[in-house]
Amino acid sequence: MPVTYRREGPVAYVELDNPPVNAIGLDIRQGLMDALDWIAGKPHLDRVILSGKGRAFAAGADAREFDAPPVAPHLPDVIRRMEQSDVPWIAAVDGVALGGGCELVLGCQYRIAAPGALIGMPEVTLGVIPGAGGTQRLPRLVGLEDALQMISTGKPVKAAQALELGLIQDVADDVIFAAQEVNAELLTTLPALADLPGPEANEGAVSAARATADQKTASQIAPQCAIDLVAQSSSVDFEDAMQQERATFLALRQGDQARALRHVFFAERAAKAPGWLRDAAAPDPTHVAVVGGGTMGAGIAYALLNAGLRVTVLETSAEGVARAQDNVEKIISASLKRGLINEAKAQDRRAHLVCTHDYTLAADAELAIEAAFESMAVKKEIFTKLQAVMAPDAVLATNTSYLDVDEIAAVLNDPTRMVGLHFFAPAHIMKLLEIVRGQATSDRALALGFALAKRLRKVPVLAGVCDGFIGNRILARYREAADSLLLEGALPHQVDAAMRGFGYAMGPYEAQDLSGLDIAFANRRRQDASRDPAQHYVAIADHLVDAGRLGRKTGAGWYDYTDRQAVDSEVTRIIETESATAGVTRRALEEGEIAHTLVLAMINEAANILQEGIAQSARDIDLVTVFGYGFPRWRGGLLHYADTQGAQAMQEGLEALAQHDPLVWEPSPLIRTCATQGARIAGFSHD
Ligand code: 3HC
């Protein structure tokens, strides 16, 4: 039963029981209505204690229902009936009370939470707003400013802060016991929040919330709608405002942004445990060797330490060891300074770290992750050394971004132990982990990759071997297409503005300046031998590198950084010269055309990647682009976005571009098939 209820003397107990997180679906809403009917017929009750079974009070409305029309009883009606009940309700919150779960709490007259509880309304992160009274009850309880902050950002608060805000009346280890102890007479005096007057108006707080939403969640509708509704609580009658809230909630939940955000939410969760891995036993490492203590290696080491693992960083020299130690220490200190860890945890991280050039200290590690220089010779040497000291069943992983995992694995006696674990910098922060399956990679090694991702709280995506795997291959095509637009008439700042307008936090040229132009340059040189001679190669980026413009680190790249990021006439000159050399008459390009062209280039590459089996599903490509490459989450990822446009439109757009350059713009066979069949790309999967 999703809701159970029973009585002990004057106390009724109502418990939500819908594992794993008590999402509030139809069964729970109906169960609560049944409980209310049952309570209405019971004399001599002085309280109803509402709690959640398991690890959550309630995670909010069941978002899996959002694609279908709403079915009664609706949550706002359930909560209104709780408020109007003759018997006062007490919320006993242990675990999370989020979204509709928090709204249930607000429907109770007394609210108690365990110290570890988390309470809030993250609806905007799913592209909706609180739809069961949250925008009206919360400001009546905690005031306009705090309600605006909580609802428009979606950030939940811990129990102690909830107490400080006045959201709850008590914090207790044993919430049920504390609820039993609340004075019965006091309970009868507590008003329902719906009956309280609205909060005082606060124009300043509303403008501040809007400014934050404009900056942090630009282009997203839900935060602005939430602010409108919360602001109304100070002037509009409760019942009228509730109707507006409901109408807004229902309209938003079927909109493109909410669909996209739900898609990412469920895709992220589904990625953790792909069906094909169910039967593979995952070794659970306790000790991991990381080869290379540079920026990437240090980030990986710190992520592992954070997950409670013992880490040995292997370097080649005493200087390398000192540098590795220093790099990890910098991350520990920064985390300490930002309050992400306390001193005890910092000490714990230090105690579990060894930096050394003695490979034998890694002998008992169950996993090694190589994060050294991108050179095939260097990597082969490292794996030969690791093989010599580590147990024969230890898994050996390379963090290479581009090199052929199969060629690296060939140096091993047993190449089934080799897997690619492609982290993204900074590795302790970025959530994406590409897990690369080589020709020989065993399911055991892959299972370890997925188990490790879970432990590190990362989003794992399986990728096949090709140049750049999934993410960097799409990125390379993105950059190549952007450079073609420069040749045609655009300038870097126009391309960057166009992509920011599309929803990226940064355009491709600002991003390159930040990461440095040298790595991509080295990759292009590596690819020179295999590049199709018929391809129109755009050498603008090469000219910048030749001129020593490697990005921010050299004070100049696509922009000048003498003072702050500024358009540089020298770059404009290089670009215009290149156009002239190629015989191109430059033309003005609109931002819309730029964004459309670049997104189309990425979609086409992604469709090829999917068709070739380098990615298993469109969902995986969406996760890679959102969690590793800044594709706007509210657009649902690259191929989710493609499906909103339709394969037919994609094909037509590509064919138009192919008229000028058929080699790179030929529509992917997958797009052609989907266009012919009227099918969604999301429907294609190798899973
Ligand atoms: N609806 C449907 N399913 C949900 C859900 C929800 N609101 N919240 C979690 N789940 C599911 C997950 O999909 C996952 O399913 P799976 O096991 O089949 O993959 C399972 O519950 C466990 O979730 P997590 O893997 O995320 O478990 P964690 O322990 O890591 O996190 C959590 C738990 C903090 C509750 C996290 O799941 C979460 O943030 N959930 C969403 C909370 C939210 O946004 N609530 C608002 C919903 S909208 C709403 O309430 C509208 C209302 O105002 C009317």
Side-chain angles (χ1 to χ4, degrees), residues 38-91:
W38 172 79
I39 287 159
K42 295 280 172 293
H44 313 303
L45 279 177
D46 70 14
R47 71 197 60 198
V48 183
I49 299 177
L50 177 63
S51 61
K53 189 169 180 178
R55 61 183 161 115
F57 175 82
D62 189 337
R64 287 167 304 188
E65 290 184 350
F66 287 6
D67 288 323
V71 179
H74 306 296
L75 193 56
D77 302 330
V78 174
I79 294 173
R80 196 74 184 111
R81 259 195 84 187
M82 282 165 57
E83 266 185 336
Q84 290 169 340
S85 162
D86 290 337
V87 189
W89 283 61
I90 303 176

Side-chain angles (χ1 to χ4, degrees), residues 100-239:
C102 179
E103 289 170 306
L104 277 177
V105 171
L106 297 175
C108 297
Q109 280 87 340
Y110 203 88
R111 298 165 288 275
I112 305 167
L118 204 60
I119 307 178
M121 296 196 215
E123 281 90 340
V124 292
T125 63
L126 286 178
V128 293
I129 50 138
T135 65
Q136 302 308 304
R137 289 192 180 88
L138 189 65
R140 281 173 164 76
L141 184 61
V142 303
L144 205 61
E145 192 170 355
D146 290 325
L148 280 166
Q149 153 72 20
M150 280 185 73
I151 294 176
S152 67
T153 65
K155 285 208 181 86
V157 294
K158 292 194 178 138
Q161 200 187 343
L163 184 67
E164 225 171 84
L165 291 171
L167 204 167
I168 55 174
Q169 285 105 320
D170 197 4
V171 176
D173 288 321
D174 185 339
V175 285
I176 300 289
F177 178 72
Q180 290 161 344
E181 292 293 295
V182 179
N183 182 291
E185 235 166 82
L186 169 73
L187 278 177
T188 60
T189 65
L190 299 173
L193 297 181
D195 298 335
L196 291 179
E200 233 177 84
N202 185 340
E203 267 310 310
V206 175
S207 313
R210 278 199 206 292
T212 306
D214 278 342
Q215 197 205 346
K216 300 239 162 98
T217 46
S219 311
Q220 296 190 43
I221 314 165
Q224 299 291 353
C225 292
I227 293 168
D228 290 343
L229 284 155
V230 176
Q232 279 187 14
S233 64
S234 59
S235 55
V236 178
D237 166 73
F238 181 83
E239 294 299 344

Side-chain angles (χ1 to χ4, degrees), residues 113-379:
L118 204 60
I119 307 178
M121 296 196 215
E123 281 90 340
V124 292
T125 63
L126 286 178
V128 293
I129 50 138
T135 65
Q136 302 308 304
R137 289 192 180 88
L138 189 65
R140 281 173 164 76
L141 184 61
V142 303
L144 205 61
E145 192 170 355
D146 290 325
L148 280 166
Q149 153 72 20
M150 280 185 73
I151 294 176
S152 67
T153 65
K155 285 208 181 86
V157 294
K158 292 194 178 138
Q161 200 187 343
L163 184 67
E164 225 171 84
L165 291 171
L167 204 167
I168 55 174
Q169 285 105 320
D170 197 4
V171 176
D173 288 321
D174 185 339
V175 285
I176 300 289
F177 178 72
Q180 290 161 344
E181 292 293 295
V182 179
N183 182 291
E185 235 166 82
L186 169 73
L187 278 177
T188 60
T189 65
L190 299 173
L193 297 181
D195 298 335
L196 291 179
E200 233 177 84
N202 185 340
E203 267 310 310
V206 175
S207 313
R210 278 199 206 292
T212 306
D214 278 342
Q215 197 205 346
K216 300 239 162 98
T217 46
S219 311
Q220 296 190 43
I221 314 165
Q224 299 291 353
C225 292
I227 293 168
D228 290 343
L229 284 155
V230 176
Q232 279 187 14
S233 64
S234 59
S235 55
V236 178
D237 166 73
F238 181 83
E239 294 299 344
D240 289 347
M242 283 293 285
Q243 282 185 18
Q244 288 191 41
E245 182 199 75
R246 187 73 185 159
T248 308
F249 168 73
L250 291 177
L252 285 175
R253 79 175 205 170
Q254 62 190 27
D256 283 347
Q257 293 194 358
R259 281 182 200 280
L261 288 164
R262 279 204 293 284
H263 166 67
V264 177
F265 176 85
F266 286 115
E268 184 183 349
R269 275 143 188 92
K272 285 184 215 162
W276 56 268
L277 254 188
R278 213 164 286 142
D279 299 329
D284 193 12
T286 54
H287 179 196
V288 181
V290 176
V291 187
T295 309
M296 182 57 90
I300 295 173
Y302 183 73
L304 295 164
L305 290 167
N306 257 352
L309 295 161
R310 197 152 65 80
V311 178
T312 300
V313 178
L314 297 169
E315 267 290 349
T316 45
S317 62
E319 300 83 69
V321 170
R323 189 183 53 129
Q325 189 84 48
D326 193 42
N327 284 342
V328 181
E329 180 53 39
K330 274 187 194 141
I331 305 178
I332 295 176
S333 308
S335 305
L336 194 58
K337 207 166 157 195
R338 290 180 58 199
L340 300 174
I341 52 171
N342 58 24
E343 188 54 53
K345 286 193 172 151
Q347 284 306 348
D348 174 80
R349 310 297 184 259
R350 290 177 185 121
H352 287 93
L353 173 71
V354 171
C355 298
T356 176
H357 46 76
D358 179 358
Y359 270 54
T360 61
L361 294 187
D364 70 346
E366 300 93 342
L367 166 69
I369 304 173
E370 166 276 314
F373 185 63
E374 283 284 69
S375 144
M376 186 55 84
V378 168
K379 291 190 194 285

